[in-house]
């Protein structure tokens, strides 16, 4: 199976690397080898062994390319190329939560019309095999509540504050130094990244579009060492949760810092790890835990979607353009203005 | 899609209940309703709304029955009926780890020959959606190590001992009173149940048969309050782990009590919950957590397999009759004769 990778940044080059490193196990699972026919990037990479093209036309018009991996990011060029790939009859795999949260319904409808898949395992929870079991097992059940630690940068900062008493500012600096946080960390520490991921999970659960701009979103910028001291005194830690209760009237969704009891599985999710905690009617409580970001874990999730396509063993994970009602989140006990997650 | 349920015990009646309770979401995901055409049990259930038969012949010869759910348990009648169902061209779904651990390779080969699936999501980890992501994502990677809390009864007993200082004997009595442990608890507390589950996970990872009788298995019967005191003093708790390292020469497998650091995600797995911790080369560490047993969680996992079959979105999870070499587990630091899990 021939594929093309759009964007040779962290994830794009990671996909090429994982396909190389794991080529034997991938070929065994997929039933055929998965080969990178083209890589598209505006930059030059003379030392890399792939066939680089600067123009999407070559990829679009090559019938041998069965799958396009969109690893450009953002919602503009990525949207344009994803659409063109689908129109050209190619499957699309993307780790791009912004693209899926903003244009999911439209792209899914287009993909269905053109008989191709649009898969996005890596868009939520990075390397955690999460979308597949969430959609496979939990959606035959009735999901009642979810609570995710979905942003590695924020979780790294809160872990530093909890374990070492580091101040928010110093923990942020350390995250930037390690490459976990960008120069402008707003999307991460402000909760906007986690909010888009929550919207994707809720769209999957409801089958309809969740407008992430309607979800109450509070970042971690105002958490202080005193908050952690208060939490510790009472047997809690602080975690930045993207959480929602699913009701017949809509979803009560919020992204905000929460007190989480020490000993709760979510309390052990340290550093850049992510986790999704879910409660379903008959399955009960489940948690999926793993690397929320990172080159190889994220790339591995993209590759698992490539294998899904090769195996043709993919169950459709989509939603419609119809909107879900987003209700204010309520029912959390307030302690010193801090919400307690009792899940 | 018409199905037949063999055995109307806890799991069998649970499957019927979950199909009823979740009928709307199941039909939505499966693309068609899933109906119980027959239930086979030697006992009479005059108040139940299903069509009971005492003889397997009726089910075997009815071409309308597409899937047989084997919920009898054990390795004798279950084996015979699973085989006959496959020979009759019917898919088989089972939560029966004893059957799969003992006869997996033979039954998979038979199923392939007859163009049907044999699915067993509920056989390991009960209600945790585990087999699917383990096979889907991790097997395109290279699994290096797994460590599971795979027996709810043992974990309940250890949780009581850790949290309340209960003696082993009293904790076992309490487990029996709550229905978690049987009158003869050997299979659970002796580690034999967890050992079969570990063999299934290793067979999936290697693609070959792991003979569970060759895996070193130590139960929890000799764990004392003093061991827990020692563990606590050093920042650990005790967990009964089914663990293995996968090497080029074979698998280093063992089922035994281990010291696990407080704060490690596995340390928060309480009571009858189960979890599987895995390390894979590119994906990194992942953990799947949820209800390891219980009527509805286990039945939900069975139902998710029924939906897989209806969607025809199932990737084959099988192994061959070829044997995997089982090596002694080594490399664990010994402290007061207790193994430390450093994962």
């Amino acid at each position: 199976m021939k594929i093309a990778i759009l964007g040779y940044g962290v994830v794009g080059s990671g996909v090429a690397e994982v396909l190389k490193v794991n080529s034997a196990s991938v070929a065994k699972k997929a039933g055929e080898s998965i080969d990178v026919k083209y890589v598209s990037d505006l930059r030059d990479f003379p030392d890399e062994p792939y066939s680089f093209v600067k123009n999407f036309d070559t990829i679009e018009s090559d019938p041998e390319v069965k799958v396009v991996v969109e690893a450009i990011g953002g919602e503009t060029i990525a949207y344009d190329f994803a659409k063109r790939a689908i129109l050209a009859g190619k499957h699309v795999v993307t780790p791009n939560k912004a693209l899926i949260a903003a244009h999911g319904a439209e792209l899914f409808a287009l993909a269905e019309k053109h008989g191709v898949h649009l898969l996005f395992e890596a868009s939520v929870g990075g390397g955690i095999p999460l979308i597949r079991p969430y959609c496979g097992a939990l959606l035959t059940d009735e999901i009642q509540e979810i609570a995710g630690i979905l942003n590695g940068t924020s979780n790294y900062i809160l872990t530093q504050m909890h374990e070492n008493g580091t101040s928010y500012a110093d923990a942020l600096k350390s995250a930037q130094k390690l490459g976990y946080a960008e120069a402008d960390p707003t999307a991460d520490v402000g909760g906007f990244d986690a909010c888009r991921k929550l919207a994707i999970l809720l769209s999957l659960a409801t089958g309809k579009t969740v407008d992430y701009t309607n979800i109450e979103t509070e970042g971690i910028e105002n958490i202080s060492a005193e908050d952690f001291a208060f939490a510790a005194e009472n047997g809690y830690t602080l975690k930045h949760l993207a959480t929602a209760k699913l009701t017949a009237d809509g979803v009560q969704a919020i992204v905000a810092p929460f007190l989480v009891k020490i000993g709760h599985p979510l309390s052990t999710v340290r550093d850049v790890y992510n986790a999704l905690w879910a409660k379903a009617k008959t399955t009960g409580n489940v948690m999926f835990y793993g690397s929320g970001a990172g080159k190889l874990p994220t790339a591995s999730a993209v590759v698992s979607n490539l294998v899904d396509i090769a195996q043709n063993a993919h169950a459709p994970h989509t939603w419609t353009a119809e909107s879900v009602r987003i209700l204010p989140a309520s029912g959390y006990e307030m302690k010193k203005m801090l919400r307690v997650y009792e899940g």
Side-chain angles (χ1 to χ4, degrees), chain A:
Chain A
M1 186 168 87
K2 308 274 186 214
I3 69 160
I5 298 173
L6 310 184
Y8 202 66
V10 174
V11 177
S13 63
V15 170
E17 188 179 336
V18 168
L19 284 173
K20 202 170 145 193
V21 171
N22 293 345
S23 63
S25 43
V26 165
K28 193 175 160 198
K29 282 296 286 184
E32 59 185 317
S33 69
I34 298 181
D35 304 312
V36 181
K37 182 157 186 188
Y38 304 106
V39 177
S40 172
D41 201 292
L42 293 176
R43 296 163 293 177
D44 289 309
F45 296 90
D47 299 334
E48 295 293 295
Y50 305 104
S51 174
F52 279 83
V53 293
K54 302 226 168 176
N55 197 311
F56 186 57
D57 303 0
T58 313
I59 294 166
E60 193 178 24
S61 60
D62 187 336
E64 263 206 336
V65 174
K66 203 172 159 194
V67 190
V68 168
V69 173
E70 183 282 299
I72 301 167
E75 298 172 37
T76 53
I77 308 170
Y79 171 63
D80 184 36
F81 286 176
K83 226 163 145 174
R84 283 171 58 185
I86 291 169
L87 289 170
K90 299 175 192 315
H91 305 287
V92 173
V93 175
T94 180
N96 187 337
K97 66 237 143 202
L99 175 70
I100 298 296
H103 303 288
E106 184 202 342
L107 293 173
F108 296 139
L110 202 65
E112 202 188 345
K113 201 175 147 196
H114 291 267
V116 294
H117 295 308
L118 169 58
L119 303 186
F120 49 96
E121 175 65 63
S123 68
V124 183
I128 311 173
L130 187 157
I131 298 289
R132 186 180 252 270
Y134 180 84
C135 293
L138 296 184
L139 294 191
T140 61
D141 196 347
E142 192 184 297
I143 296 179
Q144 298 173 319
E145 193 176 332
I146 58 177
I149 294 174
L150 301 179
N151 182 269
T153 309
S154 296
N155 199 52
Y156 171 82
I157 292 171
L158 295 182
T159 305
Q160 291 302 309
M161 294 178 77
H162 171 74
E163 294 183 0
N164 308 322
T166 316
S167 70
Y168 171 76
D170 286 347
L172 173 60
K173 262 181 228 150
S174 150
Q176 284 167 325
K177 213 168 154 182
L178 288 163
Y180 295 157
E182 311 198 30
D184 177 0
T186 317
D188 292 326
V189 299
F192 306 108
D193 171 80
C195 176
R196 282 173 172 82
K197 292 169 176 168
L198 178 61
I200 292 175
L201 293 172
L202 292 172
S203 294
L204 285 167
T206 59
K208 300 174 189 168
T209 296
V210 169
D211 181 350
Y212 64 87
T213 62
N214 288 337
I215 298 176
E216 188 183 343
T217 301
E218 191 182 314
I220 59 166
E221 305 94 328
N222 299 319
I223 303 285
S224 66
E226 288 69 40
D227 294 328
F228 272 100
F230 171 81
E233 265 166 43
N234 293 280
Y236 287 88
T237 187
L238 281 157
K239 289 291 181 192
H240 193 225
L241 300 185
T243 183
K245 287 176 185 162
L246 288 88
T247 75
D249 298 328
V251 294
Q252 294 181 345
I254 185 169
V255 179
F258 277 82
L259 291 166
V260 175
K261 199 93 184 163
I262 297 288
H264 188 288
L266 284 172
S267 74
T268 60
V269 180
R270 295 176 64 249
D271 288 345
V272 290
Y273 280 94
N274 279 17
L276 178 70
W277 176 258
K279 288 168 183 276
K281 198 166 156 187
T282 57
T283 305
N285 297 339
V286 299
M287 187 171 92
F288 306 106
Y289 164 101
S291 299
K295 181 177 179 162
L296 296 184
T298 306
S300 297
V302 170
V303 169
S304 78
N305 274 163
L306 294 173
V307 173
D308 290 340
I309 289 171
Q311 286 184 327
N312 198 19
H314 170 66
H317 308 329
T318 62
W319 54 84
T320 68
E322 196 187 333
S323 287
V324 176
R325 205 167 150 212
I326 299 176
L327 309 166
S330 64
Y332 299 109
E333 196 186 337
M334 305 291 277
K335 275 187 189 163
K336 207 191 160 206
M337 298 305 288
L338 291 168
R339 296 172 189 86
V340 186
Y341 185 68
E342 304 277 13

